[in-house]
Structure formats: structure tokens, C-alpha cells
Amino acid sequence: MVENVIWPAYLDADVSRSKGRRVPLDIAIDEPTVEEIAAAAQQVGYDAVIERDQTYPREYERRGRVLIKDADDASKNDLVQAIAAYVTALRE
């Protein structure tokens, strides 16, 4: 079982690449929440667990993180980009 950690900073349009953003700006999201990330991960077909008391090492604000379980079939980059696309779709 592989667990992937998805931090909101990976998808945040206000975060630079050097500070942790992993998606291009055209699919990045303004202030993503762990709830949106978890909902998008479930839409993609993965089990998601929210951990609210975690802080991304490059940030001071405690925004939490999402653990994605059993994502053996996708690379982390593909997973993060798919979640970013679904969060955008959920907001529309």
C-alpha cells in the first residue's frame, strides 16, 4: 500500500514553484482547502484521509494535508495534476 501526501501548497496559485507548488499556474487554484482536495481525490477514485493538524514544512500556516491511499497506478505528479483539475471543476 502506497500513501501519497498532498499538501494544499502543491496546488496553490499564490505559492511559487520554489516554495512548493507542483502544478503549472494555468491549473493552480487560489487557496485550496484540504476538504476540496479530499473531495477531488474521491472523484478521481482514491481513498482520502484528511489530517488537519499538519503544517507544510515550507509554510507557517497550518492548513493540513491529505493522505491518498493505494495510488499505485499513478505517479505523484499525475495524481496532483488530476486532483487540481477536479478541484477546479468542483468550484465551477
mmCIF file of all heavy atoms in Angstrom, residues 20-37:
data_model
loop_
_atom_site.group_PDB
_atom_site.id
_atom_site.type_symbol
_atom_site.label_atom_id
_atom_site.label_comp_id
_atom_site.label_asym_id
_atom_site.label_seq_id
_atom_site.Cartn_x
_atom_site.Cartn_y
_atom_site.Cartn_z
ATOM 1 N N GLY A 20 7.080 25.269 -3.310
ATOM 2 C CA GLY A 20 6.376 24.006 -3.179
ATOM 3 C C GLY A 20 5.255 23.714 -4.151
ATOM 4 O O GLY A 20 4.702 22.617 -4.117
ATOM 5 N N ARG A 21 4.874 24.678 -5.000
ATOM 6 C CA ARG A 21 3.787 24.386 -5.947
ATOM 7 C C ARG A 21 4.273 23.356 -6.957
ATOM 8 O O ARG A 21 5.370 23.434 -7.466
ATOM 9 C CB ARG A 21 3.347 25.668 -6.675
ATOM 10 C CG ARG A 21 2.205 25.430 -7.639
ATOM 11 C CD ARG A 21 1.663 26.731 -8.221
ATOM 12 N NE ARG A 21 2.665 27.687 -8.601
ATOM 13 C CZ ARG A 21 3.294 27.698 -9.783
ATOM 14 N NH1 ARG A 21 3.017 26.806 -10.693
ATOM 15 N NH2 ARG A 21 4.201 28.621 -10.025
ATOM 16 N N ARG A 22 3.434 22.371 -7.277
ATOM 17 C CA ARG A 22 3.819 21.295 -8.191
ATOM 18 C C ARG A 22 3.043 21.288 -9.498
ATOM 19 O O ARG A 22 3.299 20.440 -10.342
ATOM 20 C CB ARG A 22 3.631 19.940 -7.510
ATOM 21 C CG ARG A 22 4.625 19.709 -6.403
ATOM 22 C CD ARG A 22 4.600 18.275 -5.995
ATOM 23 N NE ARG A 22 5.659 18.018 -5.051
ATOM 24 C CZ ARG A 22 6.168 16.825 -4.841
ATOM 25 N NH1 ARG A 22 5.711 15.789 -5.490
ATOM 26 N NH2 ARG A 22 7.118 16.661 -3.972
ATOM 27 N N VAL A 23 2.096 22.187 -9.641
ATOM 28 C CA VAL A 23 1.299 22.227 -10.868
ATOM 29 C C VAL A 23 1.564 23.546 -11.591
ATOM 30 O O VAL A 23 1.940 24.534 -10.972
ATOM 31 C CB VAL A 23 -0.215 22.076 -10.583
ATOM 32 C CG1 VAL A 23 -0.518 20.724 -9.975
ATOM 33 C CG2 VAL A 23 -0.726 23.182 -9.704
ATOM 34 N N PRO A 24 1.363 23.577 -12.924
ATOM 35 C CA PRO A 24 1.528 24.839 -13.647
ATOM 36 C C PRO A 24 0.472 25.862 -13.198
ATOM 37 O O PRO A 24 -0.594 25.501 -12.703
ATOM 38 C CB PRO A 24 1.299 24.455 -15.111
ATOM 39 C CG PRO A 24 1.262 22.983 -15.162
ATOM 40 C CD PRO A 24 1.055 22.461 -13.794
ATOM 41 N N LEU A 25 0.781 27.129 -13.396
ATOM 42 C CA LEU A 25 -0.131 28.183 -12.961
ATOM 43 C C LEU A 25 -1.495 28.113 -13.633
ATOM 44 O O LEU A 25 -2.496 28.515 -13.036
ATOM 45 C CB LEU A 25 0.487 29.562 -13.240
ATOM 46 C CG LEU A 25 1.312 30.153 -12.108
ATOM 47 C CD1 LEU A 25 1.918 31.483 -12.534
ATOM 48 C CD2 LEU A 25 0.502 30.323 -10.857
ATOM 49 N N ASP A 26 -1.563 27.602 -14.855
ATOM 50 C CA ASP A 26 -2.856 27.567 -15.543
ATOM 51 C C ASP A 26 -3.849 26.592 -14.920
ATOM 52 O O ASP A 26 -5.056 26.718 -15.131
ATOM 53 C CB ASP A 26 -2.683 27.298 -17.037
ATOM 54 C CG ASP A 26 -2.015 25.972 -17.331
ATOM 55 O OD1 ASP A 26 -1.271 25.474 -16.468
ATOM 56 O OD2 ASP A 26 -2.224 25.444 -18.430
ATOM 57 N N ILE A 27 -3.384 25.628 -14.125
ATOM 58 C CA ILE A 27 -4.315 24.738 -13.417
ATOM 59 C C ILE A 27 -4.208 24.886 -11.901
ATOM 60 O O ILE A 27 -4.892 24.177 -11.165
ATOM 61 C CB ILE A 27 -4.138 23.255 -13.819
ATOM 62 C CG1 ILE A 27 -2.757 22.724 -13.460
ATOM 63 C CG2 ILE A 27 -4.448 23.045 -15.279
ATOM 64 C CD1 ILE A 27 -2.636 21.226 -13.617
ATOM 65 N N ALA A 28 -3.378 25.822 -11.429
ATOM 66 C CA ALA A 28 -3.253 26.075 -9.992
ATOM 67 C C ALA A 28 -4.533 26.736 -9.478
ATOM 68 O O ALA A 28 -5.288 27.348 -10.233
ATOM 69 C CB ALA A 28 -2.048 26.956 -9.711
ATOM 70 N N ILE A 29 -4.770 26.626 -8.180
ATOM 71 C CA ILE A 29 -6.017 27.057 -7.553
ATOM 72 C C ILE A 29 -5.707 28.098 -6.484
ATOM 73 O O ILE A 29 -4.708 27.996 -5.778
ATOM 74 C CB ILE A 29 -6.712 25.845 -6.901
ATOM 75 C CG1 ILE A 29 -6.960 24.790 -7.968
ATOM 76 C CG2 ILE A 29 -7.986 26.224 -6.212
ATOM 77 C CD1 ILE A 29 -6.761 23.414 -7.475
ATOM 78 N N ASP A 30 -6.594 29.083 -6.343
ATOM 79 C CA ASP A 30 -6.458 30.074 -5.276
ATOM 80 C C ASP A 30 -6.927 29.471 -3.959
ATOM 81 O O ASP A 30 -8.078 29.053 -3.832
ATOM 82 C CB ASP A 30 -7.290 31.321 -5.579
ATOM 83 C CG ASP A 30 -6.735 32.113 -6.742
ATOM 84 O OD1 ASP A 30 -5.502 32.154 -6.887
ATOM 85 O OD2 ASP A 30 -7.529 32.675 -7.503
ATOM 86 N N GLU A 31 -6.025 29.413 -2.999
ATOM 87 C CA GLU A 31 -6.310 28.939 -1.646
ATOM 88 C C GLU A 31 -7.097 27.629 -1.591
ATOM 89 O O GLU A 31 -8.230 27.590 -1.108
ATOM 90 C CB GLU A 31 -7.042 30.023 -0.864
ATOM 91 C CG GLU A 31 -6.244 31.292 -0.720
ATOM 92 C CD GLU A 31 -6.977 32.375 0.050
ATOM 93 O OE1 GLU A 31 -7.998 32.066 0.702
ATOM 94 O OE2 GLU A 31 -6.523 33.511 -0.006
ATOM 95 N N PRO A 32 -6.525 26.535 -2.062
ATOM 96 C CA PRO A 32 -7.224 25.252 -1.971
ATOM 97 C C PRO A 32 -7.318 24.788 -0.518
ATOM 98 O O PRO A 32 -6.440 25.071 0.293
ATOM 99 C CB PRO A 32 -6.349 24.311 -2.788
ATOM 100 C CG PRO A 32 -4.986 24.903 -2.702
ATOM 101 C CD PRO A 32 -5.193 26.390 -2.648
ATOM 102 N N THR A 33 -8.383 24.078 -0.206
ATOM 103 C CA THR A 33 -8.563 23.544 1.147
ATOM 104 C C THR A 33 -8.390 22.033 1.114
ATOM 105 O O THR A 33 -8.509 21.403 0.061
ATOM 106 C CB THR A 33 -9.962 23.884 1.692
ATOM 107 O OG1 THR A 33 -10.935 23.220 0.887
ATOM 108 C CG2 THR A 33 -10.216 25.380 1.710
ATOM 109 N N VAL A 34 -8.135 21.465 2.282
ATOM 110 C CA VAL A 34 -7.977 20.019 2.347
ATOM 111 C C VAL A 34 -9.290 19.309 2.043
ATOM 112 O O VAL A 34 -9.289 18.203 1.499
ATOM 113 C CB VAL A 34 -7.386 19.558 3.705
ATOM 114 C CG1 VAL A 34 -5.943 19.962 3.834
ATOM 115 C CG2 VAL A 34 -8.187 20.066 4.877
ATOM 116 N N GLU A 35 -10.410 19.952 2.350
ATOM 117 C CA GLU A 35 -11.714 19.357 2.037
ATOM 118 C C GLU A 35 -11.908 19.247 0.529
ATOM 119 O O GLU A 35 -12.398 18.229 0.032
ATOM 120 C CB GLU A 35 -12.855 20.175 2.648
ATOM 121 C CG GLU A 35 -12.925 20.114 4.158
ATOM 122 C CD GLU A 35 -11.966 21.083 4.853
ATOM 123 O OE1 GLU A 35 -11.389 21.973 4.175
ATOM 124 O OE2 GLU A 35 -11.787 20.942 6.068
ATOM 125 N N GLU A 36 -11.532 20.300 -0.205
ATOM 126 C CA GLU A 36 -11.643 20.272 -1.665
ATOM 127 C C GLU A 36 -10.712 19.227 -2.266
ATOM 128 O O GLU A 36 -11.089 18.503 -3.193
ATOM 129 C CB GLU A 36 -11.295 21.636 -2.254
ATOM 130 C CG GLU A 36 -12.296 22.715 -1.970
ATOM 131 C CD GLU A 36 -11.843 24.071 -2.459
ATOM 132 O OE1 GLU A 36 -10.646 24.391 -2.369
ATOM 133 O OE2 GLU A 36 -12.704 24.824 -2.935
ATOM 134 N N ILE A 37 -9.511 19.134 -1.733
ATOM 135 C CA ILE A 37 -8.539 18.167 -2.238
ATOM 136 C C ILE A 37 -9.039 16.742 -1.992
ATOM 137 O O ILE A 37 -8.963 15.886 -2.870
ATOM 138 C CB ILE A 37 -7.156 18.402 -1.597
ATOM 139 C CG1 ILE A 37 -6.603 19.758 -2.046
ATOM 140 C CG2 ILE A 37 -6.191 17.281 -1.951
ATOM 141 C CD1 ILE A 37 -5.372 20.208 -1.294
#
